[in-house]
Amino acid sequence: MVYVTADLHGDATRFYSKEIRRLKKGDTLIVLGDFGFLWQGTPKEKKLLKKLGKKKYQILFLDGAHENFDLLEQYPVEEWSGGQVHRIDGSLKHLMRGQVYVIEGKRIFTMGGGESDEKEMRAQQQKWFPQEMPNPQEKEAARKNLERFDWSVDYVLTHDCSEKMKVFLSMGQQNNSLNRFLTEIEGKLQFRKWFFGFYHLDRQIPPRHCAVYRSVQRLD
């Protein structure tokens, strides 16, 4: 089974929740951005990543707005399940932007990235990275990959959401280029359900969207 949660922000205690402890051998847990466990590159951090890569279930994650992208980009890129990934350690992988993977027979489109709040403060603290937002090449790769599947997938997994979803959730932040791009994708794409993180909300949005934070949702 494939499950999603979101916004761990490097909090290892989340893996001890009842919902995640129920996952079985062969299951997949996908984190919808702000994974947060690749931040300093220390031996202690690498030891934890190795431990996560040896779980009985595999852990996959999208990047969010709060990642160390310089560190993440040092990992090798490889092909996996129809798309490109960074293999971090063992079965722990980063699902790259604009890819379509086939996991347990389901087509899954992914688009990480997001615009962080308080950019100036984070930049001063050396905790902000310009790669947090998808670039034009990643957006074009997304369009081309979706064209290969005739703009039809089973699930959409993103960190941020479309403009329409921001309005629905009454989020006051101004729409950015990623929200506009996801609106473009939503207007063309056939899909069964769309899951996203970012807003630290757990909320079903009928008929086909779901905001995820601490909950663990099964895709189907």
Side-chain angles (χ1 to χ4, degrees), residues 41-93:
T42 61
K44 181 179 179 181
E45 187 174 82
K46 291 178 181 178
K47 183 178 179 180
L48 178 55
L49 292 171
K50 186 175 289 292
K51 182 178 180 180
L52 295 177
K54 290 182 178 179
K55 291 279 190 185
K56 62 184 178 181
Y57 51 89
Q58 72 172 340
I59 301 171
L60 313 174
F61 67 95
L62 283 62
D63 54 88
H66 303 145
E67 318 283 1
N68 184 332
F69 289 94
D70 290 347
L71 181 59
L72 182 58
E73 290 170 0
Q74 292 178 22
Y75 285 87
V77 176
E78 60 182 59
E79 294 291 324
W80 178 82
S81 293
Q84 292 188 321
V85 299
H86 287 111
R87 183 181 293 276
I88 308 303
D89 202 304
S91 62
L92 175 63
K93 305 176 190 72

Short mmCIF file of all heavy atoms in Angstrom, two decimals, residues 41-93:
data_model
loop_
_atom_site.label_atom_id
_atom_site.label_comp_id
_atom_site.label_asym_id
_atom_site.label_seq_id
_atom_site.Cartn_x
_atom_site.Cartn_y
_atom_site.Cartn_z
N GLY A 41 24.33 17.68 6.90
CA GLY A 41 25.30 16.74 6.35
C GLY A 41 26.27 16.19 7.38
O GLY A 41 27.36 15.72 7.02
N THR A 42 25.89 16.20 8.64
CA THR A 42 26.75 15.72 9.70
C THR A 42 26.74 14.20 9.78
O THR A 42 25.81 13.55 9.26
CB THR A 42 26.29 16.27 11.06
OG1 THR A 42 24.95 15.81 11.31
CG2 THR A 42 26.30 17.79 11.07
N PRO A 43 27.74 13.58 10.43
CA PRO A 43 27.73 12.12 10.61
C PRO A 43 26.47 11.65 11.33
O PRO A 43 25.91 10.60 10.98
CB PRO A 43 28.98 11.87 11.44
CG PRO A 43 29.91 12.97 11.08
CD PRO A 43 29.02 14.17 10.89
N LYS A 44 26.00 12.42 12.30
CA LYS A 44 24.77 12.04 13.01
C LYS A 44 23.58 12.03 12.07
O LYS A 44 22.73 11.13 12.11
CB LYS A 44 24.53 13.01 14.16
CG LYS A 44 23.29 12.69 14.99
CD LYS A 44 23.13 13.69 16.13
CE LYS A 44 21.88 13.37 16.95
NZ LYS A 44 21.70 14.35 18.06
N GLU A 45 23.50 13.03 11.21
CA GLU A 45 22.40 13.11 10.26
C GLU A 45 22.48 11.95 9.26
O GLU A 45 21.45 11.32 8.94
CB GLU A 45 22.47 14.44 9.52
CG GLU A 45 21.29 14.72 8.61
CD GLU A 45 21.36 16.12 8.02
OE1 GLU A 45 22.07 16.30 7.02
OE2 GLU A 45 20.73 17.03 8.59
N LYS A 46 23.67 11.65 8.76
CA LYS A 46 23.84 10.54 7.82
C LYS A 46 23.47 9.20 8.46
O LYS A 46 22.91 8.33 7.79
CB LYS A 46 25.27 10.52 7.30
CG LYS A 46 25.61 11.69 6.40
CD LYS A 46 27.05 11.66 5.94
CE LYS A 46 27.38 12.85 5.05
NZ LYS A 46 28.80 12.86 4.64
N LYS A 47 23.75 9.06 9.73
CA LYS A 47 23.39 7.83 10.45
C LYS A 47 21.87 7.67 10.50
O LYS A 47 21.34 6.57 10.31
CB LYS A 47 23.98 7.86 11.85
CG LYS A 47 23.72 6.60 12.66
CD LYS A 47 24.38 6.68 14.03
CE LYS A 47 24.11 5.42 14.85
NZ LYS A 47 24.75 5.50 16.20
N LEU A 48 21.17 8.77 10.73
CA LEU A 48 19.71 8.73 10.77
C LEU A 48 19.14 8.43 9.38
O LEU A 48 18.19 7.64 9.25
CB LEU A 48 19.15 10.06 11.28
CG LEU A 48 17.63 10.19 11.32
CD1 LEU A 48 16.99 9.06 12.13
CD2 LEU A 48 17.22 11.54 11.90
N LEU A 49 19.72 9.02 8.33
CA LEU A 49 19.26 8.74 6.97
C LEU A 49 19.44 7.27 6.63
O LEU A 49 18.58 6.66 5.97
CB LEU A 49 20.01 9.61 5.97
CG LEU A 49 19.72 11.12 6.04
CD1 LEU A 49 20.70 11.88 5.16
CD2 LEU A 49 18.28 11.41 5.63
N LYS A 50 20.54 6.70 7.05
CA LYS A 50 20.78 5.28 6.81
C LYS A 50 19.72 4.43 7.52
O LYS A 50 19.22 3.44 6.98
CB LYS A 50 22.18 4.89 7.29
CG LYS A 50 22.59 3.45 6.95
CD LYS A 50 24.02 3.18 7.34
CE LYS A 50 24.98 3.90 6.43
NZ LYS A 50 24.96 3.34 5.04
N LYS A 51 19.38 4.83 8.74
CA LYS A 51 18.34 4.12 9.50
C LYS A 51 17.00 4.21 8.79
O LYS A 51 16.26 3.22 8.70
CB LYS A 51 18.24 4.72 10.91
CG LYS A 51 17.24 4.04 11.81
CD LYS A 51 17.25 4.66 13.20
CE LYS A 51 16.23 3.99 14.12
NZ LYS A 51 16.24 4.62 15.47
N LEU A 52 16.66 5.38 8.26
CA LEU A 52 15.40 5.55 7.53
C LEU A 52 15.40 4.71 6.26
O LEU A 52 14.36 4.17 5.86
CB LEU A 52 15.18 7.02 7.19
CG LEU A 52 14.98 7.96 8.38
CD1 LEU A 52 14.82 9.41 7.90
CD2 LEU A 52 13.77 7.55 9.22
N GLY A 53 16.56 4.58 5.63
CA GLY A 53 16.66 3.79 4.40
C GLY A 53 16.57 2.30 4.63
O GLY A 53 16.45 1.53 3.66
N LYS A 54 16.61 1.87 5.89
CA LYS A 54 16.52 0.45 6.22
C LYS A 54 15.18 0.07 6.84
O LYS A 54 15.01 -1.05 7.32
CB LYS A 54 17.65 0.08 7.19
CG LYS A 54 19.03 0.10 6.57
CD LYS A 54 20.09 -0.32 7.57
CE LYS A 54 21.48 -0.36 6.94
NZ LYS A 54 22.53 -0.74 7.93
N LYS A 55 14.22 1.00 6.85
CA LYS A 55 12.90 0.68 7.39
C LYS A 55 12.27 -0.48 6.61
O LYS A 55 12.61 -0.73 5.45
CB LYS A 55 11.99 1.90 7.29
CG LYS A 55 12.36 3.06 8.21
CD LYS A 55 11.85 2.84 9.61
CE LYS A 55 12.01 4.09 10.46
NZ LYS A 55 11.62 3.86 11.87
N LYS A 56 11.33 -1.18 7.23
CA LYS A 56 10.65 -2.29 6.55
C LYS A 56 9.79 -1.80 5.40
O LYS A 56 9.49 -2.53 4.46
CB LYS A 56 9.81 -3.09 7.55
CG LYS A 56 8.70 -2.29 8.20
CD LYS A 56 7.96 -3.11 9.25
CE LYS A 56 6.88 -2.29 9.95
NZ LYS A 56 6.18 -3.07 10.99
N TYR A 57 9.38 -0.53 5.46
CA TYR A 57 8.65 0.10 4.35
C TYR A 57 9.60 1.12 3.72
O TYR A 57 10.54 1.61 4.35
CB TYR A 57 7.39 0.81 4.85
CG TYR A 57 7.63 1.75 6.01
CD1 TYR A 57 7.97 3.09 5.81
CD2 TYR A 57 7.54 1.30 7.32
CE1 TYR A 57 8.20 3.95 6.86
CE2 TYR A 57 7.78 2.15 8.39
CZ TYR A 57 8.10 3.47 8.15
OH TYR A 57 8.34 4.32 9.21
N GLN A 58 9.38 1.44 2.45
CA GLN A 58 10.26 2.42 1.81
C GLN A 58 9.72 3.83 2.04
O GLN A 58 8.51 4.05 2.08
CB GLN A 58 10.44 2.13 0.34
CG GLN A 58 9.26 2.41 -0.56
CD GLN A 58 9.62 2.26 -2.03
OE1 GLN A 58 10.77 2.29 -2.43
NE2 GLN A 58 8.59 2.05 -2.86
N ILE A 59 10.64 4.78 2.19
CA ILE A 59 10.29 6.18 2.39
C ILE A 59 10.72 6.97 1.16
O ILE A 59 11.88 6.91 0.74
CB ILE A 59 10.97 6.75 3.65
CG1 ILE A 59 10.55 5.95 4.89
CG2 ILE A 59 10.61 8.23 3.82
CD1 ILE A 59 11.33 6.32 6.13
N LEU A 60 9.78 7.69 0.59
CA LEU A 60 10.03 8.58 -0.54
C LEU A 60 9.60 9.98 -0.13
O LEU A 60 8.70 10.13 0.71
CB LEU A 60 9.23 8.14 -1.77
CG LEU A 60 9.26 6.65 -2.12
CD1 LEU A 60 8.30 6.36 -3.27
CD2 LEU A 60 10.67 6.22 -2.48
N PHE A 61 10.23 11.00 -0.69
CA PHE A 61 9.80 12.34 -0.32
C PHE A 61 9.95 13.33 -1.47
O PHE A 61 10.85 13.22 -2.30
CB PHE A 61 10.57 12.86 0.91
CG PHE A 61 12.04 13.11 0.69
CD1 PHE A 61 12.50 14.39 0.37
CD2 PHE A 61 12.97 12.09 0.81
CE1 PHE A 61 13.85 14.63 0.17
CE2 PHE A 61 14.33 12.32 0.62
CZ PHE A 61 14.77 13.60 0.29
N LEU A 62 9.02 14.28 -1.51
CA LEU A 62 9.13 15.44 -2.37
C LEU A 62 9.92 16.49 -1.60
O LEU A 62 9.92 16.50 -0.37
CB LEU A 62 7.76 16.02 -2.70
CG LEU A 62 6.86 15.36 -3.74
CD1 LEU A 62 6.48 13.94 -3.34
CD2 LEU A 62 5.59 16.18 -3.94
N ASP A 63 10.56 17.40 -2.32
CA ASP A 63 11.15 18.54 -1.63
C ASP A 63 10.06 19.58 -1.39
O ASP A 63 9.06 19.66 -2.11
CB ASP A 63 12.29 19.14 -2.45
CG ASP A 63 11.88 19.48 -3.88
OD1 ASP A 63 11.40 20.61 -4.09
OD2 ASP A 63 12.00 18.62 -4.76
N GLY A 64 10.26 20.39 -0.35
CA GLY A 64 9.32 21.45 -0.04
C GLY A 64 9.98 22.81 -0.13
O GLY A 64 10.88 23.03 -0.94
N ALA A 65 9.56 23.72 0.73
CA ALA A 65 10.16 25.05 0.77
C ALA A 65 11.34 25.10 1.73
O ALA A 65 12.17 25.99 1.63
CB ALA A 65 9.11 26.09 1.18
N HIS A 66 11.40 24.17 2.65
CA HIS A 66 12.42 24.18 3.69
C HIS A 66 13.29 22.93 3.59
O HIS A 66 13.11 21.95 4.31
CB HIS A 66 11.77 24.26 5.08
CG HIS A 66 10.89 25.46 5.24
ND1 HIS A 66 9.73 25.44 5.98
CD2 HIS A 66 11.00 26.71 4.73
CE1 HIS A 66 9.17 26.63 5.93
NE2 HIS A 66 9.92 27.42 5.18
N GLU A 67 14.20 22.96 2.64
CA GLU A 67 15.18 21.88 2.45
C GLU A 67 16.54 22.52 2.21
O GLU A 67 16.63 23.68 1.76
CB GLU A 67 14.83 21.00 1.24
CG GLU A 67 13.37 20.62 1.07
CD GLU A 67 12.89 19.53 2.01
OE1 GLU A 67 13.69 19.05 2.84
OE2 GLU A 67 11.71 19.18 1.92
N ASN A 68 17.60 21.78 2.45
CA ASN A 68 18.94 22.22 2.06
C ASN A 68 19.18 21.71 0.65
O ASN A 68 19.64 20.58 0.44
CB ASN A 68 20.00 21.68 3.02
CG ASN A 68 21.40 22.18 2.71
OD1 ASN A 68 21.71 22.50 1.57
ND2 ASN A 68 22.25 22.25 3.72
N PHE A 69 18.84 22.51 -0.33
CA PHE A 69 18.90 22.08 -1.72
C PHE A 69 20.33 21.88 -2.20
O PHE A 69 20.59 21.03 -3.05
CB PHE A 69 18.16 23.07 -2.63
CG PHE A 69 16.67 23.02 -2.45
CD1 PHE A 69 16.02 23.88 -1.59
CD2 PHE A 69 15.91 22.08 -3.13
CE1 PHE A 69 14.65 23.83 -1.42
CE2 PHE A 69 14.53 22.01 -2.98
CZ PHE A 69 13.90 22.89 -2.11
N ASP A 70 21.25 22.66 -1.67
CA ASP A 70 22.65 22.46 -2.05
C ASP A 70 23.11 21.06 -1.66
O ASP A 70 23.82 20.39 -2.43
CB ASP A 70 23.55 23.50 -1.36
CG ASP A 70 23.34 24.89 -1.91
OD1 ASP A 70 22.71 25.04 -2.97
OD2 ASP A 70 23.81 25.86 -1.26
N LEU A 71 22.70 20.60 -0.50
CA LEU A 71 23.06 19.26 -0.04
C LEU A 71 22.31 18.19 -0.83
O LEU A 71 22.89 17.19 -1.27
CB LEU A 71 22.76 19.13 1.46
CG LEU A 71 23.09 17.80 2.14
CD1 LEU A 71 24.58 17.49 2.01
CD2 LEU A 71 22.70 17.85 3.62
N LEU A 72 21.02 18.41 -1.05
CA LEU A 72 20.20 17.44 -1.78
C LEU A 72 20.73 17.20 -3.19
O LEU A 72 20.76 16.07 -3.68
CB LEU A 72 18.76 17.94 -1.83
CG LEU A 72 17.72 17.06 -2.50
CD1 LEU A 72 17.64 15.69 -1.85
CD2 LEU A 72 16.34 17.74 -2.48
N GLU A 73 21.18 18.26 -3.83
CA GLU A 73 21.64 18.14 -5.22
C GLU A 73 22.99 17.42 -5.35
O GLU A 73 23.41 17.11 -6.46
CB GLU A 73 21.72 19.53 -5.84
CG GLU A 73 20.35 20.15 -6.08
CD GLU A 73 20.41 21.61 -6.47
OE1 GLU A 73 21.53 22.17 -6.56
OE2 GLU A 73 19.33 22.21 -6.68
N GLN A 74 23.62 17.12 -4.24
CA GLN A 74 24.88 16.38 -4.29
C GLN A 74 24.67 14.88 -4.49
O GLN A 74 25.60 14.16 -4.85
CB GLN A 74 25.67 16.61 -3.00
CG GLN A 74 26.20 18.03 -2.84
CD GLN A 74 26.93 18.24 -1.53
OE1 GLN A 74 27.40 17.28 -0.91
NE2 GLN A 74 27.02 19.48 -1.08
N TYR A 75 23.45 14.41 -4.27
CA TYR A 75 23.17 12.98 -4.41
C TYR A 75 22.99 12.63 -5.88
O TYR A 75 22.47 13.42 -6.67
CB TYR A 75 21.92 12.62 -3.61
CG TYR A 75 22.16 12.57 -2.12
CD1 TYR A 75 22.05 13.73 -1.35
CD2 TYR A 75 22.54 11.39 -1.49
CE1 TYR A 75 22.30 13.71 0.02
CE2 TYR A 75 22.79 11.36 -0.12
CZ TYR A 75 22.67 12.51 0.61
OH TYR A 75 22.93 12.49 1.96
N PRO A 76 23.40 11.43 -6.27
CA PRO A 76 23.31 11.03 -7.69
C PRO A 76 21.87 10.85 -8.14
O PRO A 76 21.00 10.43 -7.36
CB PRO A 76 24.08 9.70 -7.72
CG PRO A 76 24.01 9.18 -6.32
CD PRO A 76 24.02 10.38 -5.43
N VAL A 77 21.64 11.18 -9.40
CA VAL A 77 20.31 11.00 -10.01
C VAL A 77 20.28 9.66 -10.72
O VAL A 77 21.23 9.28 -11.40
CB VAL A 77 20.03 12.15 -11.02
CG1 VAL A 77 18.70 11.91 -11.73
CG2 VAL A 77 20.03 13.49 -10.30
N GLU A 78 19.17 8.94 -10.55
CA GLU A 78 19.02 7.67 -11.25
C GLU A 78 17.57 7.48 -11.66
O GLU A 78 16.67 8.18 -11.18
CB GLU A 78 19.49 6.50 -10.37
CG GLU A 78 18.73 6.33 -9.07
CD GLU A 78 19.27 5.18 -8.23
OE1 GLU A 78 20.46 5.20 -7.88
OE2 GLU A 78 18.49 4.25 -7.93
N GLU A 79 17.35 6.54 -12.56
CA GLU A 79 16.00 6.20 -13.01
C GLU A 79 15.38 5.21 -12.05
O GLU A 79 16.03 4.25 -11.62
CB GLU A 79 16.04 5.62 -14.42
CG GLU A 79 16.50 6.59 -15.50
CD GLU A 79 15.49 7.69 -15.75
OE1 GLU A 79 14.27 7.41 -15.70
OE2 GLU A 79 15.92 8.83 -16.01
N TRP A 80 14.12 5.45 -11.72
CA TRP A 80 13.41 4.53 -10.81
C TRP A 80 11.92 4.63 -11.08
O TRP A 80 11.35 5.71 -11.11
CB TRP A 80 13.72 4.90 -9.35
CG TRP A 80 13.00 4.05 -8.35
CD1 TRP A 80 13.37 2.82 -7.90
CD2 TRP A 80 11.78 4.38 -7.67
NE1 TRP A 80 12.45 2.35 -6.99
CE2 TRP A 80 11.46 3.30 -6.83
CE3 TRP A 80 10.93 5.49 -7.69
CZ2 TRP A 80 10.34 3.28 -6.02
CZ3 TRP A 80 9.80 5.48 -6.89
CH2 TRP A 80 9.52 4.38 -6.07
N SER A 81 11.29 3.50 -11.33
CA SER A 81 9.84 3.42 -11.51
C SER A 81 9.30 4.42 -12.54
O SER A 81 8.21 4.97 -12.37
CB SER A 81 9.12 3.60 -10.17
OG SER A 81 9.38 2.51 -9.31
N GLY A 82 10.08 4.65 -13.58
CA GLY A 82 9.61 5.50 -14.67
C GLY A 82 10.01 6.95 -14.59
O GLY A 82 9.75 7.72 -15.52
N GLY A 83 10.64 7.37 -13.48
CA GLY A 83 11.03 8.77 -13.33
C GLY A 83 12.41 8.89 -12.72
O GLY A 83 13.06 7.88 -12.41
N GLN A 84 12.85 10.11 -12.52
CA GLN A 84 14.16 10.35 -11.95
C GLN A 84 14.05 10.60 -10.44
O GLN A 84 13.11 11.24 -9.97
CB GLN A 84 14.82 11.57 -12.61
CG GLN A 84 15.19 11.33 -14.06
CD GLN A 84 16.01 12.48 -14.63
OE1 GLN A 84 15.74 13.64 -14.33
NE2 GLN A 84 16.98 12.16 -15.45
N VAL A 85 15.04 10.07 -9.72
CA VAL A 85 15.09 10.24 -8.26
C VAL A 85 16.53 10.53 -7.83
O VAL A 85 17.48 10.26 -8.55
CB VAL A 85 14.61 8.97 -7.51
CG1 VAL A 85 13.17 8.64 -7.87
CG2 VAL A 85 15.53 7.77 -7.80
N HIS A 86 16.65 11.11 -6.64
CA HIS A 86 17.91 11.09 -5.92
C HIS A 86 17.83 9.93 -4.92
O HIS A 86 16.92 9.91 -4.09
CB HIS A 86 18.13 12.39 -5.13
CG HIS A 86 18.46 13.58 -5.96
ND1 HIS A 86 17.59 14.64 -6.13
CD2 HIS A 86 19.58 13.89 -6.67
CE1 HIS A 86 18.16 15.56 -6.90
NE2 HIS A 86 19.36 15.12 -7.25
N ARG A 87 18.74 8.97 -5.04
CA ARG A 87 18.77 7.91 -4.03
C ARG A 87 19.61 8.41 -2.86
O ARG A 87 20.79 8.70 -3.01
CB ARG A 87 19.36 6.62 -4.59
CG ARG A 87 19.32 5.47 -3.56
CD ARG A 87 19.92 4.19 -4.12
NE ARG A 87 19.11 3.66 -5.20
CZ ARG A 87 18.05 2.88 -5.01
NH1 ARG A 87 17.68 2.57 -3.78
NH2 ARG A 87 17.38 2.41 -6.03
N ILE A 88 18.99 8.50 -1.70
CA ILE A 88 19.67 9.06 -0.53
C ILE A 88 20.43 7.98 0.23
O ILE A 88 21.63 8.08 0.44
CB ILE A 88 18.67 9.76 0.40
CG1 ILE A 88 17.81 10.78 -0.38
CG2 ILE A 88 19.40 10.44 1.55
CD1 ILE A 88 18.60 11.85 -1.10
N ASP A 89 19.74 6.93 0.62
CA ASP A 89 20.39 5.80 1.30
C ASP A 89 19.42 4.64 1.35
O ASP A 89 18.27 4.80 1.77
CB ASP A 89 20.80 6.19 2.73
CG ASP A 89 21.91 5.29 3.28
OD1 ASP A 89 21.72 4.07 3.29
OD2 ASP A 89 22.97 5.83 3.66
N GLY A 90 19.86 3.48 0.90
CA GLY A 90 18.97 2.31 0.91
C GLY A 90 17.73 2.57 0.08
O GLY A 90 17.80 2.99 -1.08
N SER A 91 16.57 2.37 0.69
CA SER A 91 15.31 2.58 -0.03
C SER A 91 14.77 3.99 0.13
O SER A 91 13.68 4.30 -0.35
CB SER A 91 14.26 1.57 0.46
OG SER A 91 13.99 1.76 1.84
N LEU A 92 15.51 4.87 0.79
CA LEU A 92 15.12 6.27 0.95
C LEU A 92 15.46 7.06 -0.31
O LEU A 92 16.63 7.12 -0.71
CB LEU A 92 15.82 6.87 2.17
CG LEU A 92 15.61 8.37 2.42
CD1 LEU A 92 14.14 8.68 2.71
CD2 LEU A 92 16.49 8.84 3.58
N LYS A 93 14.45 7.66 -0.95
CA LYS A 93 14.66 8.36 -2.22
C LYS A 93 13.93 9.70 -2.23
O LYS A 93 12.85 9.84 -1.61
CB LYS A 93 14.16 7.51 -3.40
CG LYS A 93 14.75 6.12 -3.49
CD LYS A 93 14.12 5.34 -4.63
CE LYS A 93 14.51 3.87 -4.59
NZ LYS A 93 13.83 3.16 -3.46
#
